[in-house]
Amino acid sequence: MWTLSGFADEIDPDLAVQCAVLSQLSIGFIEFRSAWDVNVLDLTDQQVTDARRILTEHDLSVSSIASPIGKINIEDDFEAHLRRMDRAVAVANALGAPFIRVFSFFLTTDQRPEDHRDEVVRRMSALADKAIAGGVVLLHENEKEIFGDIPERVHDIVTSVNSPALRLAWDAANYVQCGVVPFPEAYGLLRPYTDYIQIKDAVLATAEVVPAGEGDGRIRETVRALADDGFDGFFSMEPHLAAAHHLGGFSGPENFIRATKAFTGILDAEAIPYR
């Protein structure tokens, strides 16, 4: 049984509105990125408590903390970032989230990936150690313009760190926007390390983000392969249909519903059960 989740801050800044739309869609999990226009790691302890109460009232659980950990330049202060990782672990534990999404550091156009590879691995290893201590698992997302933005470097990270606390989140649209056709090449390389799927699609020629199945992310083919592989995990809606920026995106309620129905339509056509 596959499980739906979603970046519900793409619906509305207010957490109660986010929860209401997820409930309308019969989605029982949320990927918590922000509430009340505040990033999840910047919520006060009282706000985290309030969030937990609102989620409970709507019978929602947290699939992952959608943190911005790793969304700094590779040469920025890492010690401060490690302290921020401590907050991510604390919030994940407070909200009962098994996963924390992370990234492998931005590079400018004049920073060659090969020159910073060892430092990326060192930093990702340190983050994984924090995760082990906190009883959570990190999910590396293949964001554009970070070290791990293409399949070969993602594979390098996850195999070099070689930690049970570092796994992969799959984002087909991000691969497309890097000029990568994600299936079957990237899938074959990364499937053994992939535990979580983020759902958005994109057009190769324009990089425009579109609902699942309307772009070049080969969502249908990936879904079939995952079903054949016996995948049993989360599929998190991240539509980005109205706006996108380096810390997230926005869709609004109607677009979020449209994107979700596009994906569940694929699942229905493939006769794949989900909840």
Side-chain angles (χ1 to χ4, degrees):
M1 180 70 71
W2 290 1
T3 305
L4 301 183
S5 183
F7 290 77
D9 60 349
E10 294 215 8
I11 297 168
D12 191 272
D14 187 84
L15 182 59
V17 177
Q18 298 177 24
C19 293
V21 173
L22 291 181
S23 296
Q24 176 185 339
L25 290 166
S26 299
I27 295 177
F29 286 83
I30 185 171
E31 181 145 4
F32 207 133
R33 183 169 54 196
S34 70
W36 311 294
D37 282 326
V38 179
N39 184 271
V40 62
L41 301 193
D42 296 322
L43 295 172
T44 66
D45 289 346
Q46 182 59 54
Q47 286 175 315
V48 172
T49 298
D50 293 342
R52 186 169 59 232
R53 172 183 54 79
I54 293 168
L55 293 170
T56 299
E57 289 172 352
H58 289 83
D59 198 25
L60 282 164
S61 300
V62 180
S63 61
S64 178
I65 298 300
S67 86
I69 295 295
K71 280 198 168 186
I72 60 173
N73 185 268
I74 188 58
E75 295 183 357
D76 287 345
D77 180 12
F78 183 57
E79 293 309 311
H81 217 52
L82 269 182
R83 293 190 293 271
R84 193 154 170 78
M85 182 66 200
D86 289 333
R87 180 60 178 171
V89 170
V91 172
N93 288 332
L95 295 177
F99 297 112
I100 299 173
R101 180 190 66 161
V102 297
F103 304 87
S104 54
F105 307 97
F106 285 117
L107 299 172
T108 63
T109 54
D110 60 349
Q111 291 175 314
R112 299 191 309 166
E114 58 269 30
D115 293 340
H116 299 278
R117 181 261 179 197
D118 290 350
E119 177 62 10
V120 168
V121 171
R122 184 189 76 82
R123 291 183 176 201
M124 298 304 293
S125 296
L127 294 174
D129 289 344
K130 290 275 189 181
I132 288 174
V136 294
V137 174
L138 305 183
L139 296 168
H140 174 274
E141 179 183 339
N142 52 293
E143 177 66 69
K144 302 178 296 296
E145 299 174 357
I146 62 171
F147 178 86
D149 59 356
I150 62 172
E152 293 76 15
R153 290 199 291 266
V154 173
H155 184 264
D156 185 17
I157 293 168
V158 72
T159 56
S160 297
V161 173
N162 192 28
S163 169
L166 179 63
R167 301 290 289 174
L168 302 181
W170 174 274
D171 191 309
N174 287 351
Y175 279 133
V176 170
Q177 292 177 331
C178 292
V180 173
V181 178
F183 187 90
E185 294 83 359
Y187 183 91
L189 182 65
L190 300 176
R191 172 64 186 95
Y193 314 97
T194 300
D195 287 353
Y196 198 97
I197 311 297
Q198 294 176 190
I199 299 299
K200 65 177 184 285
D201 205 345
V203 177
L204 190 61
T206 64
E208 177 190 4
V209 177
V210 294
E214 297 181 16
D216 296 301
R218 299 193 176 176
I219 304 294
R220 293 178 185 275
E221 294 90 337
T222 303
V223 160
R224 290 173 190 152
L226 287 167
D228 289 343
D229 286 349
F231 183 87
D232 183 19
F234 289 107
F235 291 78
S236 186
M237 303 303 306
E238 191 187 15
H240 279 20
L241 292 182
H245 50 80
H246 76 287
L247 289 178
F250 187 75
S251 296
E254 291 185 5
N255 278 329
F256 192 93
I257 292 169
R258 178 166 69 96
T260 300
K261 289 185 176 180
F263 179 61
T264 57
I266 293 172
L267 299 184
D268 291 339
E270 298 295 327
I272 296 171
Y274 60 91
R275 57 181 179 181

